[in-house]
Amino acid sequence: MKVVIRARPFLLAVVFMAMAMAACTKSTPQTGAVSTPQTGTIPECGRVDGDGLIAFVGEKVEVTEVPPEPITDSSSGGSLVIIMDQHYRARYQVLEKLCGDFSGDVIEFDAYDHYGFPYFARYETVLLFVSRYGDHYVHQKYQFHDVYKTRSGEWVGCGDPNLGERPGRRVDFRPVPLEFDEPPVFSVAALTEVKITQIYPPEYYSRDGDRVTCKAGAPVEFLYTIKRNGVLKAREELRYRAGPE
């Protein structure tokens, strides 16, 4: 029996991931091109071929693995199809919607991850990016920020908002001091000193031994804008050029 390795047709966000990364690499670097919306405004989501993006702060309700089902490809004589990503179904309470056409309190969506249990599901509250494909919703692969509520009730991300972004998508940003009733604390026991400095720089975190405490970060609107003008824009443009399914 032949074995065919491919992605499912409806997972365009997954299929185009590598293409999007290549497009971002080849694009002309931006220099301060990302504009930051004022707190309280609702940015517009891009739309391509009627498929809408939804950006929201969500609280985890349930994330479960969907057992793989044997799939055969009739066009190649009944060859077995191997799906390279693990499939998960997630349900999240929508705490704050930044943009998108969704009016419910709870959203259910599919998530696919090459490395196993989705990293976003390790946090209780996250900024998520979900797109509608036909009659169901799919998480924009690997795109999220863990977020926390400040004492004044605003959702924020801890640390440098440019962390992990490509040089061409980074923007100038000054740390915003944050106050929490219970500040987020992270363990750095498993990290080297170099990694601690890179991931938890002192301008954003205070350190006490093997623990660091969040003291500065960025508003959730700023986190959204970086993604919206970076990898999500690249994926959207590639989807538009590819045409309808």
Side-chain angles (χ1 to χ4, degrees), residues 84-242:
M84 298 299 291
D85 293 319
Q86 289 179 257
H87 179 193
Y88 296 86
R89 185 151 295 127
R91 296 181 71 244
Y92 272 72
Q93 182 81 25
V94 179
L95 302 179
E96 180 178 326
K97 187 179 70 175
L98 278 77
C99 66
D101 184 15
F102 185 82
S103 58
D105 295 326
V106 176
I107 186 169
E108 182 171 312
F109 58 90
D110 292 311
Y112 296 83
D113 199 297
H114 187 66
Y115 304 100
F117 192 69
Y119 209 87
F120 69 79
R122 302 182 185 188
Y123 302 95
E124 289 302 313
T125 51
V126 286
L127 170 61
L128 287 170
F129 306 90
V130 172
S131 289
R132 178 172 58 81
Y133 293 95
D135 59 355
H136 65 280
Y137 298 95
V138 178
H139 174 240
Q140 284 285 341
K141 198 174 184 183
Y142 305 137
Q143 304 307 306
F144 79 98
H145 279 286
D146 53 305
V147 293
Y148 307 89
K149 182 171 285 190
T150 64
R151 183 173 297 164
S152 59
E154 297 177 329
W155 290 104
V156 298
C158 289
D160 184 357
N162 289 307
L163 185 66
E165 297 293 338
R166 293 177 179 272
R169 296 202 301 264
R170 295 174 184 172
V171 297
D172 293 334
F173 181 79
R174 294 182 178 179
V176 176
L178 303 174
E179 293 185 356
F180 303 93
D181 287 330
E182 296 184 8
V185 178
F186 307 91
S187 172
V188 295
L191 301 179
T192 65
E193 289 298 322
V194 172
K195 284 296 184 182
I196 294 173
T197 301
Q198 291 175 343
I199 302 174
Y200 302 103
E203 59 266 38
Y204 288 97
Y205 298 89
S206 59
R207 183 178 177 183
D208 182 12
D210 290 337
R211 293 155 54 94
V212 294
T213 301
C214 175
K215 67 177 184 180
V220 70
E221 292 89 353
F222 191 91
L223 302 176
Y224 162 83
T225 304
I226 291 179
K227 294 294 185 184
R228 172 69 267 174
N229 288 274
V231 63
L232 295 179
K233 180 179 180 181
R235 290 180 179 180
E236 186 177 76
E237 289 174 346
L238 285 167
R239 179 168 171 77
Y240 178 78
R241 289 202 295 270

